[in-house]
Amino acid sequence: AGKISLKLKGIVDLEYEMDEENSTKYINRVNAWMSLNQCHKMWQITQQSTVSNRKVNAGAGRNINRNGLKFTNKLPYYLKTNVVCVVIPLKKEKLIMLPDKILLVRKNNVGVISYDNLHIAVNGQRFIESEGVPRDSEILSYTWQYVNKNGSPDKRYSNNRQLPICLYATILITSSEGLNVEIQCSNVSIAEEFRKNCI
């Protein structure tokens, strides 16, 4: 009867029983991931390319595309469980963090990632911000959209605007199963605190 219900309704029901120690560890992990939502801005880096002419790109070494990102506890309709989960809605897939594993959902395909194979690196990054500066970010200095090698503005461009160089945090999430996710956060201290408690 369980198999028939699963086939017809498409719902997976996962029940977990944990002792106090493991329950506390899991709650701390969930809280660590959700704490990143305290950053005023968070993005997924969806595409990047190397810049060949830095003079017309504010001196940046790479161009990126990014999507705004917020973590949630809301599970997709097809999954039910008795514990609180972290759901990371990426551009092309979802990461669902359960007590014993991570589900990677891409359209109708589901993969499983072990926490033992998960690697998380958090680093500070200088980023030339062409959009609005988040209120919790540190501005290190300024540059110009069209810049000479010595840092001065290229006077050939009349519409040359000054751009802030911000200190952001980069969170790189990888695994031996092929996961490769880069997240950018506006608040470095929150990201560093996350690193201490995420696993």
Side-chain angles (χ1 to χ4, degrees), residues 45 91 171 178 184:
I45 306 301
K91 183 178 181 181
I171 301 174
Q184 189 180 65

Side-chain angles (χ1 to χ4, degrees), residues 58-180:
R62 67 170 184 166
N63 274 330
I64 65 168
N65 292 334
R66 57 186 183 175
N67 284 352
L69 183 63
K70 282 286 185 183
F71 300 165
T72 179
N73 299 125
K74 185 177 180 180
L75 290 169
Y77 74 91
Y78 48 79
L79 186 61
K80 291 185 178 180
T81 183
N82 62 331
V83 296
V84 176
C85 301
V86 178
V87 179
I88 304 178
L90 302 173
K91 183 178 181 181
K92 294 183 179 180
E93 58 257 328
K94 284 186 177 71
L95 292 179
I96 302 173
M97 299 196 167
L98 298 168
D100 57 339
K101 57 184 167 289
I102 301 169
L103 300 183
L104 189 151
V105 182
R106 182 178 296 168
K107 295 183 178 179
N108 295 325
N109 299 316
V110 179
V112 176
I113 298 170
S114 168
Y115 283 107
D116 292 337
N117 298 331
L118 194 69
H119 180 69
I120 299 173
V122 180
N123 297 291
Q125 176 192 53
R126 293 166 59 91
F127 185 82
I128 300 168
E129 183 58 82
S130 59
E131 302 174 9
V133 176
R135 60 173 176 259
D136 60 348
S137 297
E138 178 185 356
I139 297 177
L140 300 175
S141 59
Y142 289 86
T143 186
W144 300 90
Q145 183 173 1
Y146 305 103
V147 62
N148 294 317
K149 288 183 178 180
N150 63 2
S152 62
D154 191 332
K155 295 182 179 180
R156 293 176 298 174
Y157 299 90
S158 60
N159 60 337
N160 197 359
R161 58 176 177 151
Q162 200 171 32
L163 298 174
I165 301 176
C166 298
L167 179 61
Y168 289 161
T170 296
I171 301 174
L172 187 61
I173 308 169
T174 58
S175 77
S176 58
E177 291 92 346
L179 182 68
N180 190 352

